[in-house]
Amino acid sequence: MKALLSFILLFFSIASFAQRARDYGVEIGVMKTGKLNSITDVDGVKVGHTTRVEGTTIRTGVTAILPHSGNIFQQKVPAAIYIGNGFGKLAGISQVQELGNLETPIILTNTLSVPMAIQGTVKYTLGLEGNENVRSVNAVVGETNDGGLNDIRGMHISESDVIKAIESATTGQVQEGNVGAGTGTIAFGYKGGIGTSSRLLPESFGGYTIGVLVQTNFGGVLTIAGVPVGKELNKYPFKNAIDKSDGSCMMVVLTDAPLDARQLERIAKRAMMGLAKTGGIASNGSGDYVIAASTAESMRIPYQTRNTTDNGGVLRNDEMSALFMATIEATEEAIINSLFAAQTMTGNGRTVESIPLNRVISILKSYGVIR
């Protein structure tokens, strides 16, 4: 019986990580992935989720991304935010743009829960040892609207949900699909969610790692590894007068490359190119934001210091192109992973089907993408 119980626990532990594009032989791009093909391949990065699936109407959650495991307020990281399309409610953007740094975990949730996510993040930060005299915290909170499957007007996310996501964050493989902030999201007309991917640069280009995590909730003509899958499935916007393509995508890009805020904005812009490669169109009603940060310890910005200058050692612009390519590939694959991992969900009086993987795989085989 004990052996059987151990097997069951192992089975559910494995099953909690859904299959991904590469599990089906779909290889996106040409660069090597990190060991886990996850944002947590960037050393020290942690991700945590709080998932709320309750009754017939609550389908929502919180995802927290920590650039390092220390006190982020005391050891801030260089950061930038790029707006692909600004129909969104991203909190904390102006201070990041002004000062070029990040001082809290990055929080993702639903549109109407941004205020509660700010409160939870601020409460968590104020409670950290060393922050007893802190009187100002710039919480960075992104969102997409999960009102299609979730009772968003009920504002079911609490401060404790946010703090739980932060405190439960770990290194290692990240759960994808219907979890955390991706619990109730929809992408390309199918169930969307959380997705992640990474790229490892060759040593000749610095050996740096780029990791991306996305919250997908947007529309367009789904394209996988260059194949017009949405067209083949006859599921895409503007086929007739009533079709639309609104929605949002939050993209978080972390790297251990020593980059400053200006360079990180250049990185962030390339994530939008990854979005475009999946067929996303950044429609009028879409909130498409990229948050990019460097986790390099040499680049951290102490809250209090007697130094009058910041650290040097910033990567030269001539060395950025490989990082651009890595960002594009990892963003594209993270978005596709969010679809492959997501499962059909019913909530708030609506059912959204997962992507029809058997048909998709058949289409990709017919185009020679899978051999």
Side-chain angles (χ1 to χ4, degrees):
M1 177 63 76
K2 186 176 181 179
L4 178 60
L5 179 59
S6 297
F7 173 78
I8 292 172
L9 291 173
L10 176 62
F11 172 80
F12 280 107
S13 175
I14 295 171
S16 65
F17 296 102
Q19 287 196 301
R20 318 172 78 195
R22 287 178 185 257
D23 295 328
Y24 292 88
V26 183
E27 295 189 6
I28 292 173
V30 297
M31 302 184 81
K32 290 184 177 180
T33 70
K35 181 179 179 181
L36 298 174
N37 192 16
S38 165
I39 194 170
T40 50
D41 283 321
V42 181
D43 189 44
V45 172
K46 295 182 176 181
V47 175
H49 299 299
T50 298
T51 302
R52 298 282 305 273
V53 177
E54 301 167 21
T56 59
T57 60
I58 301 176
R59 305 286 186 270
T60 193
V62 179
T63 295
I65 304 100
L66 284 63
H68 64 77
S69 58
N71 186 328
I72 302 169
F73 187 90
Q74 294 292 332
Q75 291 291 317
K76 307 178 198 298
V77 296
I81 295 174
Y82 180 70
I83 304 173
N85 193 71
F87 200 127
K89 286 74 184 169
L90 176 63
I93 183 172
S94 64
Q95 184 169 311
V96 174
Q97 290 178 327
E98 187 72 18
L99 301 183
N101 60 50
L102 180 74
E103 62 187 27
T104 70
I106 300 163
I107 305 298
L108 305 178
T109 188
N110 73 59
T111 306
L112 297 187
S113 294
V114 169
M116 196 57 66
I118 294 172
Q119 285 189 216
T121 306
V122 170
K123 181 171 285 189
Y124 163 81
T125 302
L126 294 178
L128 293 175
E129 183 178 355
N131 292 353
E132 292 81 7
N133 296 319
V134 171
R135 291 182 172 83
S136 174
V137 177
N138 184 51
V140 173
V141 180
E143 54 76 31
T144 70
N145 193 314
D146 59 14
L149 286 166
N150 173 53
D151 171 28
I152 193 169
R153 287 173 58 90
M155 293 186 282
H156 300 288
I157 295 299
S158 66
E159 286 182 8
S160 62
D161 290 327
V162 179
I163 294 171
K164 179 182 176 183
I166 297 172
E167 292 183 339
S168 68
T170 61
T171 58
Q173 187 61 61
V174 175
Q175 286 185 293
E176 300 174 283
N178 303 6
V179 294
T183 301
T185 62
I186 303 167
F188 296 105
Y190 298 106
K191 183 67 188 69
I194 296 295
T196 188
S197 183
S198 69
R199 291 296 184 274
L200 179 62
L201 269 61
E203 288 299 326
S204 58
F205 289 97
Y208 303 116
T209 302
I210 284 274
V212 177
L213 183 143
V214 298
Q215 175 193 22
T216 59
N217 192 53
F218 63 98
V221 183
L222 176 60
T223 303
I224 300 177
V227 176
V229 172
K231 183 178 179 181
E232 293 284 354
L233 293 173
N234 196 35
K235 193 177 183 70
Y236 53 90
F238 309 117
K239 291 195 307 293
N240 55 57
I242 63 171
D243 286 334
K244 288 188 176 182
S245 182
D246 285 340
S248 302
C249 188
M250 289 298 310
M251 291 156 276
V252 178
V253 183
L254 299 182
T255 181
D256 55 7
L259 307 179
D260 62 19
R262 179 187 59 79
Q263 293 170 315
L264 287 163
E265 183 176 6
R266 299 184 73 201
I267 289 282
K269 291 175 181 178
R270 271 61 183 189
M272 286 299 297
M273 297 171 71
L275 173 75
K277 290 189 72 175
T278 68
I281 63 172
S283 64
N284 174 70
S286 195
D288 302 306
Y289 297 89
V290 187
I291 303 168
S294 170
T295 69
E297 195 166 350
S298 64
M299 297 298 298
R300 291 181 190 167
I301 306 145
Y303 174 50
Q304 293 180 323
T305 179
R306 293 184 178 181
N307 295 334
T308 57
T309 59
D310 285 332
N311 296 328
V314 178
L315 197 68
R316 294 185 68 241
N317 288 324
D318 286 347
E319 305 300 316
M320 294 287 294
S321 294
L323 291 168
F324 293 160
M325 184 168 169
T327 301
I328 294 167
E329 287 191 8
T331 303
E332 179 184 4
E333 185 163 347
I335 290 170
I336 300 306
N337 279 339
S338 78
L339 290 163
F340 273 58
Q343 298 177 341
T344 298
M345 175 171 280
T346 297
N348 209 27
R350 178 180 182 182
T351 296
V352 177
E353 300 288 337
S354 62
I355 188 173
L357 283 175
N358 288 339
R359 293 178 63 193
V360 169
I361 297 307
S362 178
I363 291 167
L364 294 177
K365 285 181 177 179
S366 71
Y367 276 80
V369 169
I370 301 175
R371 293 177 176 83

Short mmCIF file of all heavy atoms in Angstrom, two decimals, residues 230-284:
data_model
loop_
_atom_site.label_atom_id
_atom_site.label_comp_id
_atom_site.label_asym_id
_atom_site.label_seq_id
_atom_site.Cartn_x
_atom_site.Cartn_y
_atom_site.Cartn_z
N GLY A 230 -3.66 28.58 -37.21
CA GLY A 230 -4.99 29.17 -37.07
C GLY A 230 -5.76 29.16 -38.37
O GLY A 230 -6.96 28.87 -38.40
N LYS A 231 -5.09 29.44 -39.46
CA LYS A 231 -5.73 29.40 -40.78
C LYS A 231 -6.13 27.98 -41.14
O LYS A 231 -7.25 27.74 -41.63
CB LYS A 231 -4.78 29.97 -41.83
CG LYS A 231 -5.38 30.04 -43.23
CD LYS A 231 -4.39 30.67 -44.21
CE LYS A 231 -4.97 30.73 -45.61
NZ LYS A 231 -4.01 31.32 -46.58
N GLU A 232 -5.27 27.02 -40.86
CA GLU A 232 -5.57 25.61 -41.16
C GLU A 232 -6.75 25.11 -40.33
O GLU A 232 -7.55 24.28 -40.79
CB GLU A 232 -4.33 24.74 -40.90
CG GLU A 232 -3.17 24.98 -41.85
CD GLU A 232 -3.41 24.35 -43.22
OE1 GLU A 232 -4.42 23.63 -43.40
OE2 GLU A 232 -2.57 24.58 -44.12
N LEU A 233 -6.87 25.60 -39.10
CA LEU A 233 -7.98 25.21 -38.23
C LEU A 233 -9.24 26.02 -38.49
O LEU A 233 -10.28 25.78 -37.88
CB LEU A 233 -7.57 25.37 -36.76
CG LEU A 233 -6.47 24.44 -36.24
CD1 LEU A 233 -6.08 24.85 -34.82
CD2 LEU A 233 -6.93 22.98 -36.27
N ASN A 234 -9.11 27.02 -39.38
CA ASN A 234 -10.23 27.92 -39.69
C ASN A 234 -10.74 28.63 -38.43
O ASN A 234 -11.93 28.81 -38.24
CB ASN A 234 -11.37 27.16 -40.37
CG ASN A 234 -12.37 28.10 -41.05
OD1 ASN A 234 -11.97 29.14 -41.58
ND2 ASN A 234 -13.64 27.74 -41.03
N LYS A 235 -9.77 29.02 -37.58
CA LYS A 235 -10.12 29.72 -36.34
C LYS A 235 -9.21 30.93 -36.21
O LYS A 235 -8.07 30.83 -35.76
CB LYS A 235 -9.96 28.79 -35.14
CG LYS A 235 -10.58 29.32 -33.84
CD LYS A 235 -10.44 28.31 -32.73
CE LYS A 235 -11.12 28.76 -31.45
NZ LYS A 235 -12.59 28.76 -31.54
N TYR A 236 -9.72 32.05 -36.64
CA TYR A 236 -8.93 33.29 -36.59
C TYR A 236 -9.88 34.48 -36.65
O TYR A 236 -11.04 34.35 -37.07
CB TYR A 236 -7.92 33.34 -37.74
CG TYR A 236 -8.51 33.15 -39.12
CD1 TYR A 236 -8.96 34.23 -39.86
CD2 TYR A 236 -8.60 31.87 -39.67
CE1 TYR A 236 -9.50 34.05 -41.13
CE2 TYR A 236 -9.13 31.68 -40.94
CZ TYR A 236 -9.59 32.77 -41.66
OH TYR A 236 -10.12 32.58 -42.91
N PRO A 237 -9.43 35.66 -36.22
CA PRO A 237 -10.32 36.82 -36.18
C PRO A 237 -10.61 37.39 -37.55
O PRO A 237 -9.88 37.15 -38.51
CB PRO A 237 -9.52 37.81 -35.32
CG PRO A 237 -8.10 37.43 -35.55
CD PRO A 237 -8.10 35.94 -35.69
N PHE A 238 -11.69 38.14 -37.62
CA PHE A 238 -12.09 38.89 -38.80
C PHE A 238 -12.51 38.02 -39.98
O PHE A 238 -12.50 38.46 -41.13
CB PHE A 238 -10.98 39.87 -39.23
CG PHE A 238 -10.49 40.73 -38.10
CD1 PHE A 238 -9.17 40.66 -37.67
CD2 PHE A 238 -11.34 41.59 -37.44
CE1 PHE A 238 -8.72 41.43 -36.61
CE2 PHE A 238 -10.90 42.38 -36.38
CZ PHE A 238 -9.59 42.29 -35.98
N LYS A 239 -12.89 36.76 -39.69
CA LYS A 239 -13.44 35.93 -40.77
C LYS A 239 -14.78 36.50 -41.22
O LYS A 239 -15.17 36.38 -42.36
CB LYS A 239 -13.67 34.48 -40.27
CG LYS A 239 -12.41 33.69 -39.99
CD LYS A 239 -12.69 32.20 -39.87
CE LYS A 239 -13.77 31.87 -38.87
NZ LYS A 239 -13.38 32.18 -37.48
N ASN A 240 -15.48 37.10 -40.26
CA ASN A 240 -16.75 37.75 -40.59
C ASN A 240 -16.91 38.98 -39.74
O ASN A 240 -16.03 39.34 -38.95
CB ASN A 240 -17.93 36.77 -40.41
CG ASN A 240 -17.96 36.19 -39.01
OD1 ASN A 240 -18.01 36.93 -38.04
ND2 ASN A 240 -17.93 34.87 -38.89
N ALA A 241 -18.06 39.62 -39.86
CA ALA A 241 -18.25 40.94 -39.25
C ALA A 241 -18.28 40.92 -37.73
O ALA A 241 -18.10 41.96 -37.09
CB ALA A 241 -19.54 41.57 -39.78
N ILE A 242 -18.50 39.76 -37.11
CA ILE A 242 -18.64 39.77 -35.65
C ILE A 242 -17.38 39.30 -34.93
O ILE A 242 -17.29 39.38 -33.70
CB ILE A 242 -19.83 38.88 -35.20
CG1 ILE A 242 -19.58 37.41 -35.59
CG2 ILE A 242 -21.12 39.39 -35.76
CD1 ILE A 242 -20.62 36.47 -34.99
N ASP A 243 -16.39 38.83 -35.64
CA ASP A 243 -15.17 38.35 -35.00
C ASP A 243 -14.31 39.52 -34.54
O ASP A 243 -14.16 40.51 -35.24
CB ASP A 243 -14.35 37.49 -35.97
CG ASP A 243 -14.98 36.12 -36.16
OD1 ASP A 243 -15.68 35.69 -35.24
OD2 ASP A 243 -14.75 35.51 -37.21
N LYS A 244 -13.71 39.36 -33.38
CA LYS A 244 -12.76 40.34 -32.86
C LYS A 244 -11.48 39.64 -32.44
O LYS A 244 -11.38 38.42 -32.45
CB LYS A 244 -13.37 41.11 -31.68
CG LYS A 244 -14.45 42.10 -32.07
CD LYS A 244 -14.85 42.94 -30.86
CE LYS A 244 -15.85 44.00 -31.27
NZ LYS A 244 -16.21 44.86 -30.11
N SER A 245 -10.50 40.43 -32.00
CA SER A 245 -9.23 39.85 -31.59
C SER A 245 -8.63 40.61 -30.41
O SER A 245 -7.45 40.89 -30.37
CB SER A 245 -8.24 39.88 -32.77
OG SER A 245 -7.02 39.28 -32.39
N ASP A 246 -9.48 41.01 -29.47
CA ASP A 246 -8.97 41.76 -28.33
C ASP A 246 -8.39 40.83 -27.28
O ASP A 246 -8.62 39.62 -27.28
CB ASP A 246 -10.09 42.61 -27.71
CG ASP A 246 -10.41 43.83 -28.56
OD1 ASP A 246 -9.54 44.21 -29.36
OD2 ASP A 246 -11.50 44.40 -28.41
N GLY A 247 -7.67 41.41 -26.35
CA GLY A 247 -7.04 40.62 -25.29
C GLY A 247 -5.69 41.21 -24.94
O GLY A 247 -5.32 42.28 -25.42
N SER A 248 -4.94 40.53 -24.09
CA SER A 248 -3.67 41.07 -23.61
C SER A 248 -2.63 39.98 -23.43
O SER A 248 -2.96 38.80 -23.31
CB SER A 248 -3.90 41.78 -22.26
OG SER A 248 -4.85 42.81 -22.38
N CYS A 249 -1.38 40.41 -23.37
CA CYS A 249 -0.29 39.48 -23.09
C CYS A 249 0.75 40.19 -22.22
O CYS A 249 1.25 41.25 -22.60
CB CYS A 249 0.36 38.99 -24.38
SG CYS A 249 1.58 37.66 -24.12
N MET A 250 1.02 39.60 -21.06
CA MET A 250 2.11 40.08 -20.21
C MET A 250 3.33 39.21 -20.47
O MET A 250 3.23 37.98 -20.48
CB MET A 250 1.73 40.00 -18.74
CG MET A 250 0.69 41.00 -18.29
SD MET A 250 1.21 42.74 -18.48
CE MET A 250 2.81 42.74 -17.68
N MET A 251 4.46 39.85 -20.70
CA MET A 251 5.71 39.13 -20.97
C MET A 251 6.78 39.60 -20.00
O MET A 251 7.01 40.81 -19.87
CB MET A 251 6.15 39.39 -22.42
CG MET A 251 5.25 38.76 -23.47
SD MET A 251 5.33 39.58 -25.10
CE MET A 251 4.15 40.93 -24.85
N VAL A 252 7.40 38.67 -19.32
CA VAL A 252 8.48 38.98 -18.37
C VAL A 252 9.75 38.34 -18.89
O VAL A 252 9.80 37.13 -19.13
CB VAL A 252 8.15 38.45 -16.96
CG1 VAL A 252 9.31 38.72 -16.01
CG2 VAL A 252 6.85 39.07 -16.44
N VAL A 253 10.78 39.16 -19.08
CA VAL A 253 12.06 38.70 -19.61
C VAL A 253 13.14 38.97 -18.58
O VAL A 253 13.37 40.11 -18.19
CB VAL A 253 12.43 39.42 -20.93
CG1 VAL A 253 13.73 38.86 -21.50
CG2 VAL A 253 11.30 39.32 -21.94
N LEU A 254 13.80 37.91 -18.12
CA LEU A 254 14.90 38.05 -17.16
C LEU A 254 16.18 37.47 -17.77
O LEU A 254 16.14 36.49 -18.51
CB LEU A 254 14.58 37.32 -15.86
CG LEU A 254 13.34 37.80 -15.10
CD1 LEU A 254 13.17 37.02 -13.80
CD2 LEU A 254 13.41 39.30 -14.80
N THR A 255 17.30 38.09 -17.43
CA THR A 255 18.58 37.61 -17.94
C THR A 255 19.68 37.86 -16.92
O THR A 255 19.61 38.81 -16.13
CB THR A 255 18.95 38.30 -19.27
OG1 THR A 255 20.20 37.77 -19.74
CG2 THR A 255 19.07 39.80 -19.12
N ASP A 256 20.68 37.01 -16.95
CA ASP A 256 21.84 37.21 -16.08
C ASP A 256 22.92 38.04 -16.77
O ASP A 256 24.00 38.27 -16.20
CB ASP A 256 22.42 35.88 -15.61
CG ASP A 256 22.77 34.94 -16.75
OD1 ASP A 256 22.70 35.35 -17.93
OD2 ASP A 256 23.10 33.76 -16.47
N ALA A 257 22.65 38.52 -17.98
CA ALA A 257 23.59 39.40 -18.66
C ALA A 257 23.63 40.75 -17.94
O ALA A 257 22.59 41.25 -17.50
CB ALA A 257 23.18 39.60 -20.12
N PRO A 258 24.80 41.35 -17.81
CA PRO A 258 24.91 42.64 -17.11
C PRO A 258 24.45 43.80 -17.99
O PRO A 258 25.25 44.42 -18.71
CB PRO A 258 26.41 42.73 -16.80
CG PRO A 258 27.07 41.95 -17.89
CD PRO A 258 26.13 40.85 -18.24
N LEU A 259 23.18 44.09 -17.93
CA LEU A 259 22.57 45.11 -18.77
C LEU A 259 22.01 46.24 -17.91
O LEU A 259 21.54 46.01 -16.79
CB LEU A 259 21.43 44.51 -19.60
CG LEU A 259 21.75 43.28 -20.44
CD1 LEU A 259 20.50 42.80 -21.17
CD2 LEU A 259 22.88 43.57 -21.43
N ASP A 260 22.03 47.45 -18.46
CA ASP A 260 21.40 48.57 -17.77
C ASP A 260 19.98 48.76 -18.29
O ASP A 260 19.52 48.03 -19.18
CB ASP A 260 22.24 49.85 -17.90
CG ASP A 260 22.41 50.32 -19.35
OD1 ASP A 260 21.62 49.90 -20.23
OD2 ASP A 260 23.33 51.12 -19.60
N ALA A 261 19.27 49.72 -17.74
CA ALA A 261 17.86 49.91 -18.08
C ALA A 261 17.66 50.22 -19.56
O ALA A 261 16.69 49.75 -20.18
CB ALA A 261 17.26 51.04 -17.22
N ARG A 262 18.55 51.00 -20.15
CA ARG A 262 18.41 51.33 -21.57
C ARG A 262 18.52 50.08 -22.42
O ARG A 262 17.72 49.87 -23.35
CB ARG A 262 19.49 52.35 -21.97
CG ARG A 262 19.44 52.74 -23.46
CD ARG A 262 20.64 53.60 -23.82
NE ARG A 262 21.90 52.94 -23.57
CZ ARG A 262 22.45 52.02 -24.36
NH1 ARG A 262 21.81 51.63 -25.46
NH2 ARG A 262 23.60 51.47 -24.07
N GLN A 263 19.50 49.24 -22.11
CA GLN A 263 19.66 48.01 -22.87
C GLN A 263 18.50 47.05 -22.64
O GLN A 263 18.08 46.32 -23.55
CB GLN A 263 20.98 47.35 -22.49
CG GLN A 263 22.21 48.15 -22.91
CD GLN A 263 23.47 47.59 -22.30
OE1 GLN A 263 23.51 47.27 -21.12
NE2 GLN A 263 24.52 47.47 -23.11
N LEU A 264 17.98 47.03 -21.43
CA LEU A 264 16.85 46.15 -21.12
C LEU A 264 15.59 46.57 -21.89
O LEU A 264 14.79 45.72 -22.26
CB LEU A 264 16.58 46.14 -19.62
CG LEU A 264 17.64 45.36 -18.82
CD1 LEU A 264 17.56 45.72 -17.34
CD2 LEU A 264 17.45 43.85 -19.01
N GLU A 265 15.44 47.85 -22.13
CA GLU A 265 14.32 48.27 -22.96
C GLU A 265 14.50 47.77 -24.39
O GLU A 265 13.52 47.37 -25.05
CB GLU A 265 14.17 49.79 -22.97
CG GLU A 265 12.95 50.24 -23.77
CD GLU A 265 12.70 51.73 -23.72
OE1 GLU A 265 13.53 52.46 -23.15
OE2 GLU A 265 11.67 52.18 -24.27
N ARG A 266 15.71 47.74 -24.87
CA ARG A 266 15.97 47.19 -26.20
C ARG A 266 15.60 45.70 -26.23
O ARG A 266 15.03 45.22 -27.21
CB ARG A 266 17.44 47.39 -26.58
CG ARG A 266 17.89 48.84 -26.64
CD ARG A 266 19.33 48.95 -27.11
NE ARG A 266 19.43 48.66 -28.54
CZ ARG A 266 20.56 48.29 -29.14
NH1 ARG A 266 21.67 48.11 -28.44
NH2 ARG A 266 20.57 48.06 -30.44
N ILE A 267 15.95 44.97 -25.15
CA ILE A 267 15.57 43.57 -25.03
C ILE A 267 14.06 43.43 -25.04
O ILE A 267 13.48 42.58 -25.74
CB ILE A 267 16.15 42.97 -23.73
CG1 ILE A 267 17.66 42.82 -23.82
CG2 ILE A 267 15.48 41.65 -23.39
CD1 ILE A 267 18.14 41.64 -24.60
N ALA A 268 13.38 44.28 -24.25
CA ALA A 268 11.92 44.19 -24.12
C ALA A 268 11.22 44.38 -25.46
O ALA A 268 10.22 43.71 -25.76
CB ALA A 268 11.43 45.23 -23.11
N LYS A 269 11.73 45.26 -26.28
CA LYS A 269 11.13 45.48 -27.59
C LYS A 269 11.15 44.20 -28.43
O LYS A 269 10.22 43.93 -29.19
CB LYS A 269 11.88 46.59 -28.33
CG LYS A 269 11.69 47.98 -27.74
CD LYS A 269 12.55 48.99 -28.47
CE LYS A 269 12.41 50.39 -27.87
NZ LYS A 269 13.28 51.37 -28.56
N ARG A 270 12.20 43.41 -28.28
CA ARG A 270 12.30 42.18 -29.08
C ARG A 270 11.28 41.13 -28.66
O ARG A 270 10.92 40.26 -29.44
CB ARG A 270 13.72 41.62 -28.99
CG ARG A 270 14.68 42.15 -30.04
CD ARG A 270 14.88 43.64 -29.96
NE ARG A 270 15.76 44.13 -31.02
CZ ARG A 270 16.22 45.37 -31.04
NH1 ARG A 270 15.91 46.23 -30.09
NH2 ARG A 270 16.99 45.77 -32.05
N ALA A 271 10.82 41.18 -27.41
CA ALA A 271 9.79 40.23 -26.99
C ALA A 271 8.52 40.42 -27.81
O ALA A 271 7.81 39.44 -28.11
CB ALA A 271 9.49 40.40 -25.50
N MET A 272 8.22 41.64 -28.19
CA MET A 272 7.06 41.88 -29.04
C MET A 272 7.22 41.21 -30.40
O MET A 272 6.23 40.81 -31.02
CB MET A 272 6.83 43.38 -29.21
CG MET A 272 6.25 44.08 -28.01
SD MET A 272 4.62 43.47 -27.51
CE MET A 272 3.64 43.87 -28.96
N MET A 273 8.44 41.07 -30.86
CA MET A 273 8.67 40.36 -32.11
C MET A 273 8.37 38.87 -31.93
O MET A 273 7.88 38.21 -32.84
CB MET A 273 10.11 40.58 -32.58
CG MET A 273 10.42 42.04 -32.90
SD MET A 273 12.17 42.37 -33.21
CE MET A 273 12.40 41.56 -34.80
N GLY A 274 8.67 38.34 -30.76
CA GLY A 274 8.29 36.96 -30.47
C GLY A 274 6.79 36.78 -30.45
O GLY A 274 6.26 35.77 -30.95
N LEU A 275 6.09 37.74 -29.87
CA LEU A 275 4.62 37.72 -29.87
C LEU A 275 4.10 37.71 -31.31
O LEU A 275 3.20 36.93 -31.66
CB LEU A 275 4.09 38.94 -29.13
CG LEU A 275 2.57 39.17 -29.17
CD1 LEU A 275 1.87 38.19 -28.24
CD2 LEU A 275 2.23 40.61 -28.78
N ALA A 276 4.68 38.56 -32.15
CA ALA A 276 4.23 38.64 -33.54
C ALA A 276 4.45 37.33 -34.28
O ALA A 276 3.65 36.94 -35.13
CB ALA A 276 4.97 39.78 -34.26
N LYS A 277 5.53 36.62 -33.96
CA LYS A 277 5.81 35.35 -34.65
C LYS A 277 4.77 34.28 -34.34
O LYS A 277 4.61 33.33 -35.10
CB LYS A 277 7.21 34.86 -34.30
CG LYS A 277 8.33 35.72 -34.90
CD LYS A 277 9.69 35.09 -34.72
CE LYS A 277 9.86 33.88 -35.63
NZ LYS A 277 11.22 33.31 -35.55
N THR A 278 4.06 34.42 -33.23
CA THR A 278 2.98 33.47 -32.92
C THR A 278 1.66 33.86 -33.57
O THR A 278 0.68 33.13 -33.44
CB THR A 278 2.76 33.36 -31.40
OG1 THR A 278 2.22 34.60 -30.89
CG2 THR A 278 4.05 33.02 -30.68
N GLY A 279 1.63 35.01 -34.24
CA GLY A 279 0.40 35.46 -34.89
C GLY A 279 -0.37 36.50 -34.10
O GLY A 279 -1.43 36.94 -34.53
N GLY A 280 0.14 36.91 -32.95
CA GLY A 280 -0.51 37.97 -32.18
C GLY A 280 -0.44 39.30 -32.91
O GLY A 280 0.56 39.59 -33.58
N ILE A 281 -1.49 40.11 -32.79
CA ILE A 281 -1.54 41.35 -33.56
C ILE A 281 -1.60 42.61 -32.70
O ILE A 281 -1.72 43.71 -33.23
CB ILE A 281 -2.73 41.35 -34.55
CG1 ILE A 281 -4.07 41.27 -33.80
CG2 ILE A 281 -2.60 40.20 -35.54
CD1 ILE A 281 -5.28 41.46 -34.70
N ALA A 282 -1.52 42.48 -31.37
CA ALA A 282 -1.56 43.64 -30.48
C ALA A 282 -2.73 44.55 -30.87
O ALA A 282 -2.56 45.71 -31.22
CB ALA A 282 -0.23 44.40 -30.52
N SER A 283 -3.91 44.01 -30.76
CA SER A 283 -5.11 44.70 -31.22
C SER A 283 -5.44 45.94 -30.39
O SER A 283 -4.82 46.18 -29.35
CB SER A 283 -6.31 43.74 -31.18
OG SER A 283 -6.58 43.35 -29.84
N ASN A 284 -6.43 46.68 -30.83
CA ASN A 284 -6.82 47.92 -30.15
C ASN A 284 -7.11 47.71 -28.68
O ASN A 284 -6.72 48.51 -27.83
CB ASN A 284 -8.06 48.51 -30.82
CG ASN A 284 -8.58 49.72 -30.07
OD1 ASN A 284 -7.95 50.76 -30.06
ND2 ASN A 284 -9.73 49.58 -29.41
#
